[in-house]
Amino acid sequence: AEGRGRALAQSRARRGRGSAPQPTLTLAAMPRREKKAGKEKSLQQIEEEDTEEAIDQIGLGMFHWEVYLIVGLFTAADSVEIGFISFVTEVLKQEWGLEESAKATMEAMIFVGMLLGAPTWGWLADKYGRRPIMLISAMVVSIFGFLTAACNSAGQLIPCRLMVGFGCSGCVVAFDVFAELLPTDYRGPLTMSTFYWFTLGALYSNVCAKFLLCSMGWRTFTIVCALPTFVAAAAGFF
C-alpha cells in the first residue's frame, strides 16, 4: 500500500511538471504579436520619412525653378484678372452706357466666382489629384478670359467674369503642389516669394492698360491680360 501511494504521488508530480510550462508559452506569445504590430507601424512611418529625406537629399534643381515659374505665372494671372476689369469698365461705361450698378456688378463677379470655386476646386483636388485640377482651372480662366473680349453686352460679360473668378480660385492649388516638391530648407522662403508675382501681375495689367487700352481698344487689352494664365497652363501641361 505504501509503495502504491508513493507511485501515485510521483506520477502526479510528473504531470504537474509537464503542465506547468503551458501558461508560460501563452504569455510569451503576446509580446511577439505586439512587436510585430510595432514593426508594421514603424515601417509606415519610415516610408513617410523616406519621402521627405529623399526630397531633401535631392536638393534644389532646375525642375524646381521651372515649377516656380509656373506657380508664379498662376499667381500673377490671379492679380491680372482681378485688376484689369476696373480699366475695362471705365471704357465700357461710355461705350455701352453702363450704369454704376452694372459697373459694380462686373467688378464684383470675379469675387463671387472665387467664393463659389474655392470649396469646389479643393474637393476636386483631394479626389482627383492636384495637377489635373490645377490645369483644368487654368483652362477655365483662359477660355472665359478670352471670351470676355468677345462680349457685346453686360449680360454676356457678367457670366464670363463669374467663371473667370471660379477658375482663379482653383489656380491656388499650384501653390500646394510647389510646396510639396520643395526641400525643407527652401520651402518657406520660396513659397512666400511667389506672392511677389501678385505684384508683378498688377504691374503687368497697369502697363498693358497704359500702352494698349487707348491705342488698340479694350478687346485687345483683355486678350493680352488673359495670356499669362494660358502660358502657365501650357507650361504646366508639358
Side-chain angles (χ1 to χ4, degrees), residues 4-5 38 45 57 64 68 79 107 126 131 134 170 182 188 198 205 218 221 229 233:
R4 287 179 184 177
Q45 292 174 357
Q57 287 175 7
H64 294 95
Y68 178 78
S79 174
E107 294 174 354
D126 289 338
R131 184 173 179 269
M134 174 186 75
L182 285 172
F198 195 89
S205 59
W218 71 271
F221 171 63
T229 315

Side-chain angles (χ1 to χ4, degrees), residues 79-236:
S79 174
V80 171
E81 293 296 342
I82 291 172
F84 101 100
I85 191 65
S86 60
F87 295 106
V88 172
T89 51
E90 288 299 323
V91 176
L92 296 181
K93 186 178 178 180
Q94 297 177 353
E95 188 174 324
W96 290 356
L98 293 177
E99 297 180 357
E100 286 298 324
S101 59
K103 180 174 171 286
T105 303
M106 286 181 183
E107 294 174 354
M109 274 300 104
I110 190 166
F111 300 106
V112 176
M114 286 180 175
L115 186 65
L116 297 173
T120 305
W121 293 118
W123 178 78
L124 290 172
D126 289 338
K127 188 171 184 180
Y128 298 105
R130 290 187 175 91
R131 184 173 179 269
I133 296 306
M134 174 186 75
L135 297 176
I136 292 170
S137 63
M139 291 309 299
V140 169
V141 176
S142 299
I143 291 168
F144 286 95
F146 290 130
L147 284 176
T148 302
C151 293
N152 295 311
S153 66
Q156 294 176 353
L157 193 142
I158 287 172
C160 284
R161 300 318 299 168
L162 176 69
M163 291 305 298
V164 167
F166 186 83
C168 278
S169 60
C171 294
V172 183
V173 176
F175 182 86
D176 298 329
V177 173
F178 184 52
E180 291 174 351
L181 294 173
L182 285 172
T184 307
D185 293 339
Y186 297 95
R187 190 170 296 156
L190 284 180
T191 51
M192 290 298 102
S193 67
T194 57
F195 290 101
Y196 285 114
W197 288 79
F198 195 89
T199 305
L200 290 175
L203 290 172
Y204 177 83
S205 59
N206 279 270
V207 170
C208 289
K210 178 177 175 59
F211 292 103
L212 298 176
L213 192 58
C214 295
S215 59
M216 303 186 72
W218 71 271
R219 297 183 191 274
T220 303
F221 171 63
T222 302
I223 291 171
V224 172
C225 286
L227 284 176
T229 315
F230 178 76
V231 172

Side-chain angles (χ1 to χ4, degrees), residues 2-31:
E2 290 179 3
R4 287 179 184 177
R6 289 177 184 174
L8 287 170
Q10 288 176 0
S11 63
R12 286 176 184 173
R14 287 172 187 172
R15 287 176 188 173
R17 289 173 190 170
S19 59
Q22 288 180 359
T24 312
L25 291 171
T26 3
L27 292 170
M30 291 177 66

Side-chain angles (χ1 to χ4, degrees), residues 34-46:
E34 291 175 0
K35 287 178 182 177
K36 189 176 180 181
K39 285 180 181 177
E40 290 176 358
K41 290 179 183 178
S42 63
L43 284 173
Q44 292 177 357
Q45 292 174 357
I46 287 169

Side-chain angles (χ1 to χ4, degrees), residues 57-80:
Q57 287 175 7
I58 291 169
L60 200 67
M62 184 57 65
F63 168 76
H64 294 95
W65 291 112
E66 291 172 359
V67 177
Y68 178 78
L69 179 62
I70 295 169
V71 175
L73 286 172
F74 276 120
T75 309
D78 192 6
S79 174
V80 171

